[in-house]
Amino acid sequence: MLGSSDTAVNVGVNAETHIRLANGLVAIEVDLEKGGYAYAGSRGFALQEVRSGFRWQGREYHTGHYDRHYMMGQPEKIQDPFGTGIHAVMKHESDLLPGLEQHFYVYEGASSFITRVVIVGQEELKVNRIAVVKTDSVSSGSETVPGEALHVLRVPYDNDKWVRYLTETAPLETESYEVTALFQPDSRHGLILGSISHDVWKTGIRVKGETAGKLDELELYAGAADTMTRDSQPHGT
């Protein structure tokens, strides 16, 4: 436990198969048997079976494809411009795949968390797409409440060709760049996802929902390259 208030960061281990990081406002529970994790916020938004992955040698891999999952050492206490909190690292390994590290940063009193993905190997690796957050299970907690349809904000990469910001509701299939918001206009509850920093990689957030009031796919990835980012070739080629 870090701190003494209701929003202190707590780390829990359940039978060495589940790691829970929580501060009273957000909770992350990592499943070390299946390689995924769940996120729950204090306002009802939740993500289940979240995985991270990458494209390597022309194929897509994610944490569910790995044989071994474990926490590297113990969470360390950190203090940086975002605040005081903990940094925990989950490692995913298989004999025939590069290693994948998921880094989680949870801060005292913060209603958000930071995560990043690192691909590691003994030799030089070439990847051109890294999915930091990938899930088929998104819940707002109020899907059946009248007037609380889940809206998705699409943010354009730039303003060339007069591309505009817009909001959509399911059924939809859209992509936002660098940041997006999933929100309910009446209650003003929402979830914001995006990149904090990057150098030459562009961030895309893919959102898909086939049924009104429900989202079926959410993916935040690095390596976006399409007509909306003014690219004619896939990232890294």
Side-chain angles (χ1 to χ4, degrees), residues 1-182:
M1 177 175 177
L2 173 64
S4 58
S5 69
D6 292 338
T7 56
V9 181
N10 292 274
V11 179
V13 180
N14 181 10
E16 298 185 355
T17 61
H18 289 76
I19 307 295
R20 180 179 172 83
L21 313 172
N23 67 359
L25 298 173
V26 298
I28 300 166
E29 185 160 329
V30 182
D31 186 338
L32 295 179
E33 290 184 313
K34 299 180 179 180
Y37 70 90
Y39 157 84
S42 60
R43 295 299 181 91
F45 276 82
L47 308 176
Q48 299 290 332
E49 298 181 5
V50 184
R51 305 186 188 280
S52 299
F54 60 99
R55 181 182 295 151
W56 180 57
Q57 296 183 344
R59 298 186 62 182
E60 303 283 344
Y61 299 94
H62 60 66
T63 49
H65 292 133
Y66 283 82
D67 298 320
R68 301 178 296 277
H69 319 275
Y70 60 92
M71 181 166 65
M72 296 179 61
Q74 295 297 315
E76 63 173 342
K77 182 177 179 179
I78 56 173
Q79 189 163 6
D80 58 29
F82 293 102
T84 300
I86 59 101
H87 170 211
V89 184
M90 308 301 159
K91 184 68 176 290
H92 307 269
E93 295 180 336
S94 280
D95 293 339
L96 300 179
L97 292 176
L100 188 151
E101 296 177 1
Q102 287 175 308
H103 294 248
F104 295 98
Y105 304 81
V106 181
Y107 295 90
E108 185 175 352
S111 58
S112 61
F113 75 96
I114 298 172
T115 183
R116 67 184 178 98
V117 171
V118 178
I119 312 300
V120 297
Q122 297 296 324
E123 301 177 355
E124 182 176 330
L125 298 170
K126 180 180 180 180
V127 298
N128 65 349
R129 194 180 196 277
I130 299 177
V132 181
V133 174
K134 183 179 178 66
T135 179
D136 298 331
S137 179
V138 182
S139 171
S140 65
S142 302
E143 287 87 348
T144 61
V145 178
E148 286 289 67
L150 193 58
H151 288 57
V152 177
L153 172 66
R154 190 197 74 180
V155 177
Y157 182 75
D158 56 29
N159 62 357
D160 288 355
K161 298 184 180 180
W162 300 280
V163 181
R164 297 179 180 272
Y165 290 76
L166 60 84
T167 60
E168 303 176 75
T169 58
L172 63 82
E173 184 169 1
T174 190
E175 183 157 346
S176 188
Y177 298 92
E178 305 306 332
V179 67
T180 190
L182 315 178

Side-chain angles (χ1 to χ4, degrees), residues 170-174 206-210 214-218:
L172 63 82
E173 184 169 1
T174 190
R206 294 180 50 256
V207 185
K208 182 178 180 180
E210 298 181 353
K214 182 181 178 182
L215 297 182
D216 303 301
E217 296 180 24
L218 173 65

